[in-house]
């Protein structure tokens, strides 16, 4: 197994690279490479698949950008109970757990190799017991009927347009079926945005990405969210907050 030190910019092909062939390629035997990745204030050793047909094989640019945004705006995550969609290697969740002591659950496609690799990366970075993980294919029935995560996060998950409908279905369930763990009404909390304060409702979905997608594709996802009864707000550099429309997001000057 190889071990190498990588900066985020050295890992990714050109953003315009055609990734359509990645969906059709299959491989029966997995090989891995371990890389040391620099996150804000921390280095993580992450084992990645040399190839994975579901694109869970490496860290995408949005992972590092999102981590930096969350460090700058700690109140976005502090005190939250969180689930990450499309966890891939689990690197972002591991970073947030170690940096913020965040109560976070990983999730990804119903694939045993992904779950086992995230567990491996947890142990490699000193997280034991490993983070809880949920195997879930977007659009399928969610395995937990009463979700109590008040924050859902994801980075660079808008690559495949054909999955938007399924992603929105899963998001709608998690946001609209949210039940506070203590069965009490949970007040809104403040986050920062461009020098102003915004009260982020519970639950909320925070999403960041750095992969280029067409404006039409971007609009297709956000329009789909709105048609599903969700409200979309841009709150930072390519960071969006999505929440059920009946919950008001209030902006105020700090």
């Amino acid at each position: 197994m190889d071990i190498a030190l990588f900066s985020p910019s050295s890992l990714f092909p050109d953003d315009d690279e055609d990734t359509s062939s990645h969906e059709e390629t299959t491989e029966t035997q997995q090989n891995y490479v371990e890389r040391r990745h620099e996150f804000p204030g921390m280095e993580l050793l992450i084992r990645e698949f040399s190839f994975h047909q579901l694109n869970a094989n490496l860290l995408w640019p949005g992972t590092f950008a999102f981590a930096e945004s969350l460090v700058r705006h700690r109140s976005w995550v502090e005190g939250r109970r969180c689930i990450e969609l499309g966890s891939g290697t689990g690197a972002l969740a591991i970073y947030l757990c170690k940096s913020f002591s965040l109560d976070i659950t990983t999730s990804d496609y119903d694939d045993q190799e992904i779950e086992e690799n995230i567990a491996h990366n947890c142990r490699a970075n000193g997280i034991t017991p490993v983070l809880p993980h949920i195997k879930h294919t977007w659009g399928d029935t969610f395995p937990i009927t009463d979700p109590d995560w008040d924050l859902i996060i994801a980075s660079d998950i808008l690559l495949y347009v054909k999955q938007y409908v399924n992603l929105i279905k899963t998001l709608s369930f998690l946001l609209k079926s949210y039940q506070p763990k203590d069965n009490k009404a949970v007040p809104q909390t403040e986050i920062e945005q461009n020098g102003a304060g915004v009260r982020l409702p519970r639950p909320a979905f925070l999403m960041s990405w750095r992969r280029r997608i067409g404006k039409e594709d971007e609009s297709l996802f956000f329009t789909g969210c709105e048609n599903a009864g969700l409200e979309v707000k841009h709150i930072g550099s390519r960071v969006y907050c999505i929440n059920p429309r009946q919950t008001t997001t209030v902006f105020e000057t700090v």
Side-chain angles (χ1 to χ4, degrees), residues 37-151:
H37 292 281
E38 294 293 337
F39 282 79
M42 185 182 304
E43 180 183 275
L44 296 180
L45 178 62
I46 300 297
R47 187 178 76 172
E48 305 168 36
F49 299 114
S50 297
F51 168 85
H52 196 280
Q53 62 181 340
L54 303 173
N55 268 336
N57 54 308
L58 50 76
L59 277 70
W60 296 102
T63 299
F64 302 97
F66 199 20
E68 291 172 358
S69 293
L70 296 176
V71 168
R72 291 194 301 270
H73 306 287
R74 298 179 67 92
S75 59
W76 289 2
V77 294
E78 286 180 331
R80 294 276 184 156
R81 178 166 164 77
C82 181
I83 183 170
E84 181 187 21
L85 301 183
S87 296
T89 63
L92 180 60
I94 291 169
Y95 174 73
L96 294 177
C97 177
K98 291 176 70 71
S99 293
F100 298 91
S101 298
L102 186 65
D103 180 354
I104 187 166
T105 296
T106 59
S107 72
D108 211 309
Y109 186 85
D110 188 354
D111 181 88
Q112 187 63 30
E113 288 179 320
I114 294 176
E115 180 179 12
E116 291 173 353
N117 194 50
I118 292 175
H120 171 91
N121 286 329
C122 286
R123 289 188 291 267
N125 291 279
I127 296 179
T128 54
V130 301
L131 297 176
H133 180 81
I134 292 178
K135 291 187 288 187
H136 169 68
T137 300
W138 297 340
D140 288 354
T141 300
F142 203 80
I144 295 177
T145 57
D146 297 315
D148 61 358
W149 298 285
D150 58 12
L151 181 65

